Amino acid sequence: MKTFSGRATRLAGASAIAVAASLAFAGMATAQSATGTLRGQITEGGAPEAGGVITATEVATGYVSRSSVDAQGRYVLPGLRPGTYTVTVTSGDGQTASQTVTVGLGQTGTLNLDVASAVTADAGATTVDEIIVRAERVVEVRTSEVATNVTRQQINDLPQINRNFLNFAALAPSLVVREDPAERTIYAGAQSANAVNVFIDGANQKSNILDGGIAGQDDNRGNPFPQAAVAEFRVLSQNFKAEYEQAGSAIITSVTRSGTNEFTGEVFAFYSDTDWYTQDVFSSRRGAAKPQLDRLQWGAALGGPIIEDRLHFFASYERKDETRANNVFLNRTEFTSLFEDELGTFEAPFEQDLFFGKLSWQIDDRQRLDLSATFNSARDIRDFGGQNASTRANEVNQDVNNIVLRHTYQGDNFLNELSIDWLYNEYNPQAVNFDLSGENYVIYRDATAGGAFDFNYNQVEATVFNLGGGTNNQEIRDEAITFRNDLTLYGLEWNGSHTIKMGVRYSSRDYYVQKFFNRNPQFRYDINGRPEILGSAAIPTQVSLNLPTDPADVSNNTFGIYIQDDWQITDKLELNLGIRWDYEDNAANADWVTPDSIRGVLAAFETVAAYNPPVDVNDYISDGDRDAFMGAIQPRVGFSYDWFGDESTVLFGGAGRYYDRIGFNFAFSERFSPFNLSRTIYFSPAGGTYGGRSDTVAWDPRYLDRANLDTLLAGTQGRGEIFLVKNDAPVPYTDQFNFGVRQRFGDIQTALTFAYSHTRDEFGWYRLNVNSSNQLVARPSQFTNPATGQPYAFNDSVFYSDHNRERKYKAIYLTVDRPFRDGYGFNVAYTFAEGEQNGSRDQGLGAFDFDYATLGQSPWFNTPGVERHRLVASGTLALPADFRLSGILTLGSGRPYTVFNCPTPAAPGPNICWFDQFPRTDNFIIPDAFAYRQVDLRLTKTFETFEGHNLDLIIDAINVFDFKNYSGFDQSFTSANFGRPTAVFSPQRTLQVGLRYSW
């Protein structure tokens, strides 16, 4: 195998508010994005015990949290990291009671203590024992949120082959994890991956430039965070509270592991070989060789005390190596001798390094300081094979680094958390051989009936082979420093008890975008080298090249503020009332000044009688004073009602508005595309008129050097593209509504939820210069630029942003949870859903719609990716002889696909029915019910080597029954093969072995 302005004033105002708010909130409280809460009542013989102090001591670290007991015997202990605590109350007259409990991430659990008996009261014991102590995964009962907790046990035991903890987000209703050869994305409801946000230890991981929702996930087959460093995480499918920002569909919040008073650690390695997976059925039928895919993942984690009960450390490192291979071959085998050295199988490696380190310091019994750092670096060789030589590969480089400093201070009736974090996200795909010009070998078509060759530069019959370097380089960076202060006040009494949370967030972001599209020259050659054309095969017929462009280096400042009241009106009824406001001063090129050449084109269009733009173009011409969007006001309300007062039957519901954001890479097109000038130069032996063109250039070998080639571009006009962003571009937002009931049956917690969401103000790109029949009526090149005396140097289509795309989502969620204890546990999440949208057929934001002249002509159609029925079930079973068997079952009714040549299109335009057809279903337990079927299993055998030391032998079987889950179909209604599958989803059946040594 071979290897190879007005803006400054607004900013000052926002900054002043942020600073003032931070000072005002100093010494106050924390949000629950990385913590949990205990609350309850202290009694003496059943009567409320007024006054006293309650403490929660974390068993593993000795860290202490404290609170006071009010006149009614009630208390609240917020800001508890997920873990096991000894809770002790001392009444005003010196009586004590205690119990050891386990608190889950983001959950609010009830613990009632009776100091008369010095043990937990019977009713309280049942409540806590079921909800907190033993039920590691049980969703908190009295909450309006639709949430799913994923524990460390599930992360460790459930089957998977890539150590991405976010895979298990699919255990929550409406969440879908989608895998393709280039990346792994997560989406929820009827929205794209862009609408999801992830918080790690409270730090926002949103990608502000690229797609994918999460920083570093776009175009990346790696992992966002070392799995060994994740303690647990929580998926909020709907109705998340006001403390969360920049998400329209779902929130994933996780907490990292910390060191304890004992030295603990693990060393692990997982391996999968090419021979251990089943080949794609379609490539097998074509007789193609089985692609290589070897995967090795290894790493270690270690934590322990530096000063017992005071200062602890934790560190984790993970390495991932994937060795793929691409086959380079010719379809026209008669030319094999010309490229023999370039043909064969070449490695396409992927490698990733993940590091996490953390220091935790309990300064005293009221203060805690955490300092953590994450470094994530991935390198991926890809984008070659077939008729593209290995020299044309791209290297996709991604780096995501994060440093977080968090300080927590706990008073008698308040808790304050102040955090400062730095996030650096770099996306840097590069042609591996960018300094090596490309060579494209083609066969020109013989255009004459008599056989005498009539050469035309654009009459290409076939591309034979592509050599040399690739065409593009990019460097995209997003760097942010974020200050956040969150406040919780508790023990407030007025018509019940109130827990008030409030917070402020300010982030200073810098975006840098440099794109070299088609900057590496691509020379085209006639492979037959006909003397009558150019006299020699060594003379290229033409070259395509773009002029260099200036980078964009801009700043964007974001500000958010919220307040949330969790109001416990009675022992049965609780209201959650919140409101949030977010602001960005440069979300969409606030300082952009529309160039005179673009203004001239738009003015020239007005002289065309048929030109009737669907928008007022003046709304898209900017003088550098665009107003930032100020309307991101987000009320959020919820309720829960404990029907019998024993936390067995709870009604809940809520409604809220959630603003997301516009990724800078979309708005960047307005800055970049007009100046990304492309030109094709045609060569001939002597220049002048040749091959049907009058503008050929006499070939000179010195043009193989890019600097000399650039001289041909000097003084000439290339062709850019015009993109117009609306001056008052709104931010996309989603309104969510839900209502449901939770019912507890002993150890089993169930929930039935009715959910609805409506997303508005998403944007897509539409062509400005078309008529109602979607035909171009005005082209920039029709008109002369008075400044140059030449035709305007822009491509034919002029694009404008339309911000009226919508999505609707209706669903029923049914969840059943039984936490792992007594040797078994399971989770079931069933989603019945309908999603629809209008606008572009593409799922993401900023997509192009070439099918309709305006958004108004677009029909409503099924949202791609939304299945009517989806069931995800997981579980773990302890077997004799220290074996454990765990599994994940995923069943789906199938994602819709588009029908071409459709006899009944839903709107004027092409005879296409967008996402109108669903794939045929097959049998699995229920006859003819599922189009997607996957069963994953993991078998673990534990050997105790020394006291407290274990060696785990692990075998994973992914898609163990090798079900063919089809992702593509013949979409032509007039075809005899209509509806037959043409492609399959990953993964095929795959085996993996692993070893884990822990202590």
Side-chain angles (χ1 to χ4, degrees):
M1 182 172 291
K2 305 174 185 179
T3 307
F4 71 105
S5 209
R7 182 173 167 234
T9 303
R10 296 193 297 271
L11 172 58
S15 300
I17 294 172
V19 172
S22 294
L23 292 175
F25 294 161
M28 298 186 271
T30 181
Q32 283 191 351
S33 58
T35 60
T37 298
L38 277 177
R39 66 184 179 186
Q41 188 173 38
I42 308 304
T43 59
E44 182 177 2
E49 177 72 9
V53 175
I54 188 166
T55 62
T57 303
E58 189 173 11
V59 174
T61 64
Y63 293 174
V64 178
S65 299
R66 66 179 62 247
S67 185
S68 59
V69 181
D70 67 15
Q72 286 74 43
R74 291 183 294 225
Y75 75 92
V76 178
L77 270 170
L80 300 177
R81 284 180 50 84
T84 300
Y85 291 82
T86 298
V87 181
T88 302
V89 62
T90 303
S91 66
D93 56 4
Q95 299 183 81
T96 64
S98 66
Q99 182 161 329
T100 300
V101 298
T102 299
V103 178
L105 173 62
Q107 296 180 333
T108 298
T110 303
L111 175 61
N112 301 319
L113 296 173
D114 192 325
V115 296
S117 59
V119 295
T120 304
D122 290 342
T126 300
T127 298
V128 175
D129 198 42
E130 299 296 336
I131 294 179
I132 302 174
V133 178
R134 293 189 294 178
E136 295 182 5
R137 288 201 59 234
V138 172
V139 177
E140 119 186 71
V141 176
R142 296 180 61 170
T143 177
S144 60
E145 295 176 326
V146 181
T148 301
N149 277 57
V150 180
T151 66
R152 183 70 193 163
Q153 177 269 319
Q154 291 172 292
I155 295 171
N156 262 343
D157 287 346
L158 291 179
Q160 64 163 326
I161 54 174
N162 51 27
R163 293 191 59 81
N164 187 336
F165 79 95
L166 293 178
N167 289 336
F168 303 125
L171 301 180
S174 87
L175 271 288
V176 177
V177 178
R178 182 172 181 175
E179 180 180 3
D180 64 34
E183 63 186 7
R184 178 174 293 259
T185 56
I186 299 171
Y187 63 91
Q191 300 191 58
S192 70
N194 298 315
V196 172
N197 201 353
V198 170
F199 293 81
I200 298 178
D201 283 342
N204 187 329
Q205 304 295 306
K206 186 80 170 186
S207 173
N208 278 255
I209 294 185
L210 299 171
D211 287 344
I214 307 166
Q217 285 296 277
D218 183 42
D219 207 22
N220 188 353
R221 58 170 58 103
N223 302 332
F225 193 80
Q227 180 170 290
V230 178
E232 63 178 278
F233 69 96
R234 180 175 172 91
V235 181
L236 299 169
S237 299
Q238 237 192 0
N239 199 33
F240 33 95
K241 295 181 181 179
E243 64 199 80
Y244 297 108
E245 74 272 2
Q246 294 185 339
S249 62
I251 290 284
I252 300 172
T253 177
S254 70
V255 63
T256 60
R257 295 171 66 185
S258 299
T260 68
N261 281 334
E262 295 184 5
F263 284 100
T264 60
E266 62 178 303
V267 179
F268 59 85
F270 292 85
Y271 178 72
S272 180
D273 190 87
T274 300
D275 294 334
W276 300 353
Y277 83 92
T278 303
Q279 186 176 2
D280 170 357
V281 61
F282 293 102
S283 66
S284 178
R285 288 175 185 173
R286 292 193 300 267
K290 185 179 182 180
Q292 179 183 2
L293 176 52
D294 299 331
R295 182 185 290 113
L296 174 63
Q297 300 168 98
W298 57 274
L302 179 65
I306 298 176
I307 302 174
E308 188 171 332
D309 291 340
R310 287 296 182 186
L311 181 62
H312 302 85
F313 77 93
F314 182 85
S316 172
Y317 170 77
E318 298 194 20
R319 169 79 178 185
K320 182 175 184 178
D321 288 287
E322 290 184 356
T323 303
R324 301 170 185 257
N326 296 342
N327 189 28
V328 179
F329 58 90
L330 294 179
N331 286 329
R332 302 295 293 262
T333 56
E334 65 266 33
F335 300 107
T336 298
S337 61
L338 298 178
F339 308 106
E340 192 167 2
D341 291 342
E342 304 294 338
L343 307 179
T345 302
F346 297 80
E347 288 186 355
F350 170 85
E351 58 185 37
Q352 182 181 35
D353 294 287
L354 287 163
F355 171 79
F356 173 77
K358 184 177 184 180
L359 290 173
S360 301
W361 178 27
Q362 173 111 351
I363 301 172
D364 52 39
D365 62 357
R366 291 187 181 272
Q367 298 184 79
R368 175 170 174 164
L369 189 69
D370 289 287
L371 175 64
S372 64
T374 307
F375 300 97
N376 179 350
S377 180
R379 304 288 180 265
D380 191 6
I381 304 295
R382 60 168 68 169
D383 305 328
F384 70 93
Q387 284 73 60
N388 293 299
S390 63
T391 57
R392 296 184 66 81
N394 291 317
E395 181 179 24
V396 180
N397 306 309
Q398 300 214 38
D399 292 279
V400 181
N401 303 322
N402 197 195
I403 298 176
V404 181
L405 178 66
R406 297 163 62 87
H407 176 265
T408 302
Y409 182 86
Q410 188 169 46
D412 292 334
N413 292 294
F414 66 85
L415 182 69
N416 184 76
E417 181 180 73
L418 173 67
S419 67
I420 303 173
D421 72 83
W422 169 75
L423 178 67
Y424 179 84
N425 178 19
E426 181 175 7
Y427 174 73
N428 182 215
Q430 297 185 345
V432 173
N433 297 289
F434 193 68
D435 57 347
L436 182 63
S437 297
E439 301 174 8
N440 306 324
Y441 290 90
V442 304
I443 299 174
Y444 281 100
R445 182 179 298 119
D446 191 338
T448 63
F453 189 80
D454 181 16
F455 175 75
N456 185 304
Y457 282 89
N458 295 317
Q459 296 297 313
V460 175
E461 177 181 311
T463 296
V464 177
F465 200 60
N466 298 316
L467 277 171
T471 61
N472 305 327
N473 275 5
Q474 296 185 65
E475 185 174 356
I476 299 177
R477 301 197 299 265
D478 175 13
E479 186 172 11
I481 297 179
T482 302
F483 302 85
R484 179 168 186 151
N485 207 92
D486 295 291
L487 156 70
T488 303
L489 301 174
Y490 47 91
L492 304 176
E493 300 292 330
W494 179 79
N495 291 324
S497 63
H498 297 260
T499 300
I500 305 286
K501 304 176 187 177
M502 61 187 74
V504 61
R505 173 183 178 270
Y506 169 74
S507 184
S508 174
R509 312 194 76 99
D510 290 309
Y511 306 144
Y512 179 89
V513 181
Q514 172 77 82
K515 296 185 179 183
F516 295 105
F517 283 170
N518 198 33
R519 184 64 189 133
N520 188 27
Q522 300 298 302
F523 291 93
R524 178 182 292 177
Y525 291 87
D526 170 40
I527 197 168
N528 287 310
R530 295 181 177 88
E532 64 269 29
I533 303 177
L534 297 176
S536 170
I539 296 178
T541 60
Q542 64 189 63
V543 65
S544 175
L545 186 67
N546 281 23
L547 280 72
T549 57
D550 294 329
D553 192 352
V554 302
S555 62
N556 182 31
N557 296 276
T558 69
F559 175 77
I561 191 168
Y562 75 90
I563 185 168
Q564 174 86 34
D565 181 8
D566 294 335
W567 179 10
Q568 191 171 354
I569 300 175
T570 69
D571 291 339
K572 295 183 176 181
L573 178 62
E574 180 172 322
L575 295 182
N576 310 114
L577 308 174
I579 190 167
R580 179 178 188 89
W581 177 68
D582 288 296
Y583 168 83
E584 294 188 54
D585 72 341
N586 191 17
N589 298 326
D591 56 355
W592 171 249
V593 178
T594 305
D596 289 340
S597 57
I598 293 178
R599 297 175 190 240
V601 167
L602 299 179
F605 282 0
E606 297 291 339
T607 65
V608 179
Y611 178 64
N612 184 22
V615 295
D616 184 350
V617 295
N618 292 312
D619 292 340
Y620 294 80
I621 297 176
S622 173
D623 294 321
D625 55 355
R626 285 176 173 164
D627 292 329
F629 182 73
M630 301 286 290
I633 299 172
Q634 303 155 77
R636 304 176 186 181
V637 299
F639 80 93
S640 64
Y641 183 75
D642 186 354
W643 193 267
F644 299 108
D646 60 359
E647 297 192 343
S648 62
T649 304
V650 176
L651 300 179
F652 65 94
R657 175 161 291 184
Y658 305 89
Y659 275 90
D660 204 334
R661 64 181 314 281
I662 298 174
F664 181 71
N665 200 37
F666 304 129
F668 172 73
S669 296
E670 183 182 44
R671 290 176 172 267
F672 170 75
S673 295
F675 306 105
N676 184 34
L677 305 181
S678 175
R679 185 174 183 224
T680 300
I681 300 170
Y682 300 89
F683 296 112
S684 65
T689 301
Y690 206 98
R693 300 196 64 91
S694 61
D695 57 351
T696 69
V697 174
W699 170 249
D700 190 318
R702 68 189 185 91
Y703 293 141
L704 291 173
D705 182 272
R706 187 184 307 168
N708 293 327
L709 184 62
D710 278 345
T711 63
L712 297 179
L713 304 177
T716 66
Q717 291 288 336
R719 294 170 66 84
E721 289 186 304
I722 297 176
F723 283 78
L724 304 171
V725 174
K726 194 173 183 180
N727 288 333
D728 58 349
V731 177
Y733 69 93
T734 300
D735 289 327
Q736 295 183 358
F737 308 88
N738 70 278
F739 177 80
V741 58
R742 296 189 183 93
Q743 180 63 53
R744 181 161 52 88
F745 301 96
D747 290 343
I748 299 174
Q749 176 72 46
T750 66
L752 179 67
T753 307
F754 299 86
Y756 174 80
S757 66
H758 190 173
T759 302
R760 298 177 177 89
D761 289 353
E762 284 193 357
F763 92 86
W765 294 112
Y766 282 81
R767 294 190 294 177
L768 181 73
N769 51 332
V770 296
N771 59 22
S772 60
S773 299
N774 206 23
Q775 298 172 329
L776 287 170
V777 296
R779 294 174 170 83
S781 57
Q782 292 176 228
F783 306 98
T784 299
N785 185 345
T788 64
Q790 300 291 326
Y792 283 104
F794 297 109
N795 288 323
D796 286 344
S797 295
V798 176
F799 298 97
Y800 71 96
S801 65
D802 188 299
H803 300 263
N804 293 296
R805 293 176 63 192
E806 298 181 57
R807 303 173 191 257
K808 295 179 182 179
Y809 180 72
K810 295 178 289 185
I812 298 175
Y813 306 144
L814 174 63
T815 60
V816 183
D817 291 281
R818 201 276 183 185
F820 180 80
R821 62 172 177 265
D822 302 328
Y824 74 100
F826 60 85
N827 163 273
V828 178
Y830 167 73
T831 303
F832 171 76
E834 292 183 357
E836 59 177 346
Q837 67 183 66
N838 64 357
S840 171
R841 62 185 181 271
D842 292 333
Q843 175 75 330
L845 299 173
F848 291 89
D849 194 343
F850 290 102
D851 300 297
Y852 302 98
T854 65
L855 178 64
Q857 291 184 356
S858 166
W860 281 82
F861 51 85
N862 293 320
T863 297
V866 174
E867 297 178 283
R868 294 285 170 82
H869 303 274
R870 180 174 175 83
L871 175 70
V872 180
S874 68
T876 302
L877 176 65
L879 300 174
D882 292 326
F883 280 93
R884 290 191 309 279
L885 178 65
S886 60
I888 300 176
L889 167 67
T890 305
L891 302 173
S893 59
R895 304 173 185 177
Y897 61 90
T898 293
V899 179
F900 297 104
N901 302 314
C902 179
T904 57
N911 58 334
I912 297 174
C913 293
W914 301 113
F915 302 97
D916 188 62
Q917 192 76 14
F918 286 85
R920 70 173 181 84
T921 53
D922 215 325
N923 303 327
F924 188 89
I925 302 177
I926 302 174
D928 194 29
F930 303 108
Y932 188 97
R933 301 163 298 165
Q934 182 172 325
V935 178
D936 304 332
L937 297 176
R938 168 175 285 189
L939 182 65
T940 303
K941 164 63 178 173
T942 300
F943 301 89
E944 184 174 346
T945 57
F946 305 98
E947 184 177 354
H949 290 229
N950 293 317
L951 175 65
D952 290 336
L953 173 62
I954 302 166
I955 301 176
D956 290 290
I958 306 300
N959 193 6
V960 65
F961 297 117
D962 200 24
F963 288 126
K964 305 301 184 290
N965 297 311
Y966 298 114
S967 61
F969 304 87
D970 189 315
Q971 298 173 249
S972 176
F973 185 79
T974 58
S975 169
N977 295 319
F978 174 64
R980 291 187 179 178
T982 58
V984 292
F985 284 113
S986 296
Q988 315 307 310
R989 179 167 56 204
T990 304
L991 298 179
Q992 176 182 263
V993 297
L995 286 173
R996 179 171 56 221
Y997 186 83
S998 58
W999 63 92

